[in-house]
Amino acid sequence: MVADRFDRLTWRDTYEQAAGVRELAAELAARHECAEDLLTDVFLAAYKPRVRVRERAEMAPSRLVNHEFVSALVESPEFGEVRRDTVGDPYAAAMALLAQGSALRGLLEREARERPDETPRRDGQDTDAAAPGAPGAPGIRAAAHSAAAQASRAVRQEASLMRAWGVGPGELERLPFEERARLAERLRTGRLAEWAELIGRFRQMAAGERARKVENTTGELVGVTLGDDLSRVVPSELAGLGVPALRAVFAARYAAGELMLYDSRGEQPTGRGAVIACVDTSHSMYEAGPGGVTREVWAKACALALLDQARAGGRDFVGILFSAADKVRVFRFPADRPAGLDTTMEFAETFLGGGTSYQAPLGAARDLLEREFDDAARARGDIVLLTDDDCGVTEEWMRGWNAAKHRLGFRVFGVAVGAPRAAESDSVLSALCDNLRSVEDFTDVHAAADLFRVI
């Protein structure tokens, strides 16, 4: 690869910071004299904005295998996809290099077997013997395409993982190398690994529903008015578009805001106070449903999508994890500060265990909304209670709850997760909630779609 001193400085800095790269280099260089140069070239092929491979005639014979491999690599369509995520990003380029480790190892071992006098390191001496011949070229090209495919999968998976957890490219590039590597490892392993796909699908669904975020979406039709809202144009107006002579008339009336539109009542923007997600983390929430997804995972993925919803609306978000009466954890995400990834992951990973009590978490949510109402004069918060149980509350507590609800104007949405009995009309959950639904298929994110239209 043609590279300037800044490119090589980036490689050396990355090499020093990336333990995985150093380990791969040490392993390959112990047996193959050309290995370090090959790793440098593969890294730069992913990192540099403009790639130029040296002419074959400029290469030492012992480096022609590198030339063959890198030339085939940069010409492969798969590697073009890789570069969309790695150009200018040393971490991503190093990750792509490491993903190609097995292909590089296989390439060098095969070349060593086919030309034993060429590539192995012996006594630290470079043996510039005969160049790789035609027999090796197809194998080298195959190795390059395999390596590009491996890198493409690794880069796509990590990008998808980061997007699922709401980590943007700009935020990633600001992270120190080792911190970014630890974050990626943490998200790839343990309890968080199984959540990424569901969280990603929840976030995509919620983003689509935000465009429809009004109460009584269709509204009550009360007549016809004039305006330029094409989504409410009456059919007779649209019929004019089918007549060439009337199209200019339609355009003129549209420009003047004089098209006949359906008039409706009941369409109003929603949401002003905080969004509070109360998530049950009692023992029974560990139970898995269809696809092996647990009740806890579905509930927390929904809650994280509600965090996005609050962010999009400039609203505070609070996540309250609960189980028994004495087990409550509160996670605050103020609208005026970035949602810290560490706090987000702690919210996702925390599981309290034990039984289920509604009064403690709902009381905490009510108190938060009361303070917000008193301090910032913001009313109409939204509480979402995600649980798989139905439990009693005292009459005194219920009277206080209803009084606060009337004063503060908050709404309560309930989701019975894998517990249809809790969503029946005679349940305590039903008495507490203004809007209640039951979810039994934990692979389905659309079961909660209407939440994201009205919150």
Side-chain angles (χ1 to χ4, degrees):
M1 292 290 299
V2 176
D4 60 28
R5 64 187 183 91
F6 297 106
D7 296 329
R8 297 194 177 280
L9 181 61
T10 299
W11 162 245
R12 295 313 305 175
D13 287 345
T14 304
Y15 182 91
E16 292 300 324
Q17 295 180 64
V21 171
R22 293 197 303 275
E23 290 167 7
L24 178 62
E27 175 197 343
L28 297 182
R31 287 184 44 80
H32 308 285
E33 190 278 333
C34 63
E36 186 172 343
D37 287 344
L38 178 60
L39 295 183
T40 305
D41 283 342
V42 172
F43 171 84
L44 293 176
Y47 172 75
K48 284 173 59 64
R50 293 183 180 178
V51 172
R52 185 161 71 88
V53 180
R54 295 184 187 278
E55 295 297 327
R56 182 183 175 90
E58 299 179 50
M59 305 301 298
S62 62
R63 298 301 189 272
L64 284 173
V65 63
N66 297 16
H67 186 276
E68 294 271 2
F69 179 85
V70 173
S71 297
L73 184 69
V74 299
E75 291 170 2
S76 67
E78 296 90 348
F79 201 70
E81 295 177 6
V82 171
R83 282 176 48 79
R84 284 201 290 268
D85 292 302
T86 60
V87 168
D89 185 341
Y91 173 88
M95 183 182 66
L97 169 62
L98 289 173
Q100 298 173 75
S102 61
L104 296 172
R105 190 178 296 109
L107 166 73
L108 294 176
E109 291 295 338
R110 185 173 59 252
E111 289 298 309
R113 288 194 303 270
E114 293 180 359
R115 276 171 288 277
D117 60 338
E118 179 190 334
T119 56
R121 180 188 295 273
R122 287 199 176 95
D123 301 324
Q125 298 300 313
D126 180 2
T127 55
D128 286 347
I140 292 174
R141 285 194 294 272
H145 283 277
S146 173
Q150 291 169 3
S152 180
R153 284 193 296 272
V155 169
R156 282 200 314 269
Q157 288 170 0
E158 180 148 324
S160 175
L161 189 66
M162 294 299 178
R163 283 195 301 270
W165 284 95
V167 186
E171 185 177 357
L172 282 176
E173 290 174 8
R174 289 192 294 271
L175 288 176
F177 194 98
E178 286 303 324
E179 185 177 338
R180 184 169 170 181
R182 285 194 298 271
L183 169 62
E185 182 65 17
R186 184 179 177 187
L187 295 180
R188 276 195 298 267
T189 58
R191 298 184 67 220
L192 298 180
E194 62 182 294
W195 298 15
E197 182 184 357
L198 187 66
I199 291 172
R201 287 196 285 122
F202 252 111
R203 283 185 150 140
Q204 287 179 345
M205 178 273 292
E209 294 299 333
R210 275 196 282 276
R212 305 163 62 186
K213 196 181 72 171
V214 292
E215 278 184 343
N216 304 322
T217 305
T218 58
E220 177 188 357
L221 296 178
V222 294
V224 176
T225 187
L226 299 179
D228 60 0
D229 184 350
L230 296 178
S231 68
R232 294 191 290 149
V233 174
V234 302
S236 59
E237 289 277 25
L238 293 174
L241 290 174
V243 182
L246 296 180
R247 290 173 186 166
V249 176
F250 181 94
R253 295 183 63 189
Y254 172 68
E258 296 178 351
L259 294 175
M260 287 191 295
L261 313 176
Y262 286 121
D263 194 12
S264 61
R265 182 169 57 209
E267 296 187 0
Q268 54 182 310
T270 66
R272 288 188 291 273
V275 177
I276 302 179
C278 298
V279 182
D280 187 350
T281 60
S282 60
H283 281 312
S284 57
M285 291 291 284
Y286 260 140
E287 188 172 328
V293 179
T294 66
R295 297 172 178 181
E296 179 208 10
V297 169
W298 193 95
K300 285 183 177 174
C302 182
L304 290 172
L306 287 168
L307 168 58
D308 285 355
Q309 190 81 350
R311 287 269 172 228
R315 304 168 67 185
D316 290 349
F317 176 81
V318 181
I320 299 179
L321 304 181
F322 71 94
S323 57
D326 60 342
K327 293 185 176 182
V328 175
R329 286 281 308 274
V330 178
F331 296 81
R332 292 179 173 84
F333 299 86
D336 59 355
R337 294 200 296 273
L341 186 59
D342 286 342
T343 305
T344 302
M345 290 193 294
E346 185 182 2
F347 171 68
E349 288 183 306
T350 299
F351 191 88
L352 302 176
T356 306
S357 171
Y358 289 165
Q359 290 187 194
L362 291 178
R366 177 199 59 208
D367 293 346
L368 283 164
L369 292 176
E370 187 131 29
R371 285 197 296 274
E372 184 180 59
F373 179 78
D374 290 342
D375 296 344
R378 287 200 296 265
R380 194 174 180 142
D382 291 312
I383 298 173
V384 182
L385 177 59
L386 301 113
T387 181
D388 70 342
D389 200 0
D390 194 40
C391 59
V393 296
T394 66
E395 289 186 12
E396 181 181 2
W397 184 90
M398 194 68 175
R399 283 195 296 271
W401 171 261
N402 287 333
K405 188 176 177 184
H406 177 74
R407 173 174 176 256
L408 303 176
F410 60 79
R411 301 175 299 177
V412 184
F413 300 85
V415 184
V417 186
R421 173 67 187 87
E424 293 181 0
S425 59
D426 61 344
S427 68
V428 174
L429 189 60
S430 178
L432 288 169
C433 298
D434 305 300
N435 182 302
L436 177 61
R437 82 286 331 276
S438 176
V439 175
E440 295 183 64
D441 182 356
F442 303 154
T443 64
D444 181 15
V445 301
H446 295 283
D450 61 315
L451 285 177
F452 298 91
R453 288 196 292 272
V454 299
I455 289 179

